[in-house]
Amino acid sequence: MKTTNDIEQLLKPKATYHASPGLKERVVEEAVKTAASKRGNNQKWWWMGIAASLLIVAGVGWMLLNHKETKVSKSGERMAEKGSQMLTDSSAINPTAPLLMEDTKPDTPLMAQVTESPKPRKHVRRQTVPHKTAVEVSHQEELLEMVEERATPVDVQDNDELEAMLNAMQQPQSKMSEEEEYMHMNVRVFTANIRIRNKQDSN
Amino acid sequence: MQTAEQTAFVVSSGRTADRVKELERIIGLKQDWLFRFAYLRVGKREDAEDIVQDVLLRLYRSKERLTHIDDVERYLVHALRNACIDYIRRRPPILMTSLEGAAQIAEDSEADKEIRDEYERINRLLQTIPTEQAEIVRLHCTDGLTFRQIAQVLEIPEATVKSRYRYAIDKIRKAYEDDE
């Protein structure tokens, strides 16, 4: 009768087992190869990462540059709009004022005049803000003095005419500037006084 | 069987040279034991060595994933056992004809003849019992693992291991006596 120990002894290996001497070298060689390929892979990933980051930087730069250009062009557009608005506003100040002969070109055909772009700035400046020289100002003052001198002897009987004149003066002339209104009024008063004087002289 | 202290795989540095040195140390300590483990399952020197090589390389590669392998013994036994099972499953049903077998034996050296005889003797005894019992007997008797270690490797209770072992030995004894 065999005991458990006897059976265990039967199953226990008695021979000496030796792996081939080349096994260790093979395994180490493979391990080194694996490490090298992993290192190569790592380097590849590094290069890919660098390339990707460069691309991102370039993309962001391009976007920023594009954004700046758009901003500049938009501000340019806004300025142009503003300018044209100013031009239209200034031309609307006194639309009834007669055009100066300098601005028209009688020798050129009409269509050419229409299609040709006029010089709005020059035109507008002449229409809106009369540039007063020293001579003009002194002349105006003279006129005013004359009006003041001559206005005193106005007869009460001629009140109708004066009233009509004043009424005419009180008509709203919103399109004219204050200076122009004042000038107009002075001229009318002056002419009225001359007429009154002439009447008195003839009488 | 080596103790865990002797083969402890200290993952202290990630440098390749250190890792290769550590692997060499493990191979130096364990290669014969690993070879015997594989040979007594597959019965062919070349295949057993290939399996051992694969398992060691897997251990080397897995070192990067595992922060610390506290029990290399268990890791190696587990990996080697699984690799042997895969090999046996992949192996064609008829391994060698009698002529091929004879040629193989003729090529074997004296030492290889000895281990071949032992492989055949042990396998003859283990053929009389079910596979799961045979595996426990192999791990305990031929590979030298304790019942606790076997329980950890097979992931079954230690009591189950012991009872299966007892049944297996009884069956082997009966079969052996019947043969005699």
Side-chain angles (χ1 to χ4, degrees):
Chain A
M1 175 90 180
K2 295 270 179 192
T3 60
T4 307
N5 202 28
D6 292 337
I7 300 296
E8 280 178 351
Q9 286 303 315
L10 280 173
L11 291 163
K12 276 208 167 98
K14 275 124 195 148
T16 47
Y17 290 76
H18 287 297
S20 304
L23 178 68
K24 190 177 174 180
E25 279 76 44
R26 278 206 318 263
V27 173
V28 171
E29 198 180 314
E30 281 292 318
V32 170
K33 256 190 224 171
T34 309
S37 73
K38 200 168 269 181
R39 205 166 38 239
N41 259 0
N42 280 350
Q43 277 184 348
K44 192 177 83 183
W45 281 109
W46 267 107
W47 281 116
M48 280 173 78
I50 289 165
S53 52
L54 277 174
L55 268 172
I56 289 165
V57 166
V60 168
W62 182 77
M63 275 172 68
L64 283 173
L65 213 71
N66 223 19
H67 182 66
K68 207 175 174 184
E69 275 175 12
T70 323
K71 229 178 171 180
V72 167
S73 64
K74 271 186 183 171
S75 67
E77 275 174 27
R78 234 177 284 138
M79 277 173 72
E81 262 178 43
K82 214 173 173 182
S84 64
Q85 185 64 38
M86 279 168 72
L87 284 175
T88 47
D89 287 352
S90 58
S91 63
I93 288 168
N94 195 0
T96 52
L99 281 169
L100 294 173
M101 287 304 285
E102 289 169 17
D103 294 331
T104 53
K105 294 172 184 172
D107 296 337
T108 52
L110 191 64
M111 278 304 289
Q113 278 188 44
V114 170
T115 49
E116 241 182 20
S117 61
K119 294 165 185 171
R121 290 197 124 224
K122 194 177 168 186
H123 183 74
V124 167
R125 198 184 289 161
R126 282 183 186 179
Q127 276 192 346
T128 53
V129 190
H131 202 73
K132 285 176 190 170
T133 56
V135 180
E136 279 176 346
V137 171
S138 62
H139 181 65
Q140 195 180 337
E141 280 170 358
E142 272 178 24
L143 283 171
L144 281 169
E145 279 171 12
M146 280 168 73
V147 167
E148 279 167 7
E149 281 172 10
R150 308 279 174 154
T152 40
V154 174
D155 201 352
V156 184
Q157 288 171 351
D158 298 317
N159 267 353
D160 292 342
E161 199 171 352
L162 260 175
E163 207 170 317
M165 185 192 74
L166 285 168
N167 281 339
M169 279 160 54
Q170 279 169 1
Q171 289 294 321
Q173 291 181 350
S174 59
K175 300 283 168 68
M176 291 167 81
S177 67
E178 277 183 15
E179 282 178 346
E180 281 175 324
E181 277 180 13
Y182 190 61
M183 279 267 293
H184 276 272
M185 186 190 75
N186 286 337
V187 170
R188 281 174 189 171
V189 169
F190 178 65
T191 46
N193 275 333
I194 287 168
R195 278 183 201 155
I196 291 160
R197 197 180 160 191
N198 287 342
K199 265 188 182 177
Q200 282 174 349
D201 287 347
S202 65
N203 286 339
Chain B
M1 191 173 170
Q2 305 290 332
T3 59
E5 283 79 28
Q6 280 176 299
T7 54
F9 216 174
V10 183
V11 188
S12 52
S13 75
R15 277 169 52 205
T16 310
D18 290 349
R19 280 164 49 211
V20 171
K21 208 178 274 179
E22 200 65 30
L23 182 72
E24 277 183 286
R25 193 176 73 82
I26 295 281
I27 296 167
L29 284 168
K30 305 291 291 177
Q31 69 171 355
D32 289 342
W33 181 82
L34 292 169
F35 170 69
R36 188 182 72 186
F37 188 102
Y39 185 88
L40 288 175
R41 280 163 176 80
V42 300
K44 263 182 103 179
R45 174 174 277 279
E46 294 78 26
D47 292 346
E49 285 185 353
D50 283 349
I51 290 167
V52 171
Q53 184 180 331
D54 283 351
V55 168
L56 286 168
L57 281 173
R58 213 180 299 161
L59 174 75
Y60 175 77
R61 287 177 197 133
S62 71
K63 196 186 159 195
E64 285 201 306
R65 288 198 299 274
L66 305 170
T67 50
H68 185 74
I69 304 170
D70 55 345
D71 194 350
V72 180
E73 297 285 339
R74 205 165 78 189
Y75 178 90
L76 286 173
V77 168
H78 217 284
L80 204 55
R81 185 175 160 267
N82 287 339
C84 290
I85 290 168
D86 286 348
Y87 171 85
I88 291 161
R89 276 181 193 155
R90 282 201 310 268
R91 190 168 60 178
I94 301 160
L95 239 186
M96 287 187 275
T97 61
S98 55
L99 273 174
E100 281 170 337
Q104 178 71 45
I105 289 160
E107 276 176 25
D108 285 347
S109 64
E110 201 60 41
D112 280 1
K113 271 176 193 158
E114 195 187 343
I115 61 172
R116 171 168 281 280
D117 290 345
E118 197 162 70
Y119 163 76
E120 283 171 358
R121 177 173 54 83
I122 292 168
N123 264 2
R124 249 197 322 272
L125 287 170
L126 293 175
Q127 270 171 4
T128 56
I129 55 171
T131 324
E132 65 268 19
Q133 287 178 8
E135 187 59 29
I136 290 167
V137 171
R138 259 185 219 282
L139 287 168
H140 186 67
C141 295
T142 64
D143 303 324
L145 267 70
T146 62
F147 289 124
R148 184 184 289 267
Q149 285 173 322
I150 295 167
Q152 284 172 345
V153 169
L154 299 178
E155 293 167 348
I156 51 172
E158 198 179 326
T160 313
V161 174
K162 281 178 181 171
S163 66
R164 279 185 191 173
Y165 180 75
R166 202 170 54 246
Y167 286 130
I169 293 294
D170 285 346
K171 280 178 191 169
I172 292 166
R173 188 193 296 135
K174 205 177 265 182
Y176 187 76
E177 283 170 355
D178 288 347
D179 275 357
E180 279 187 339

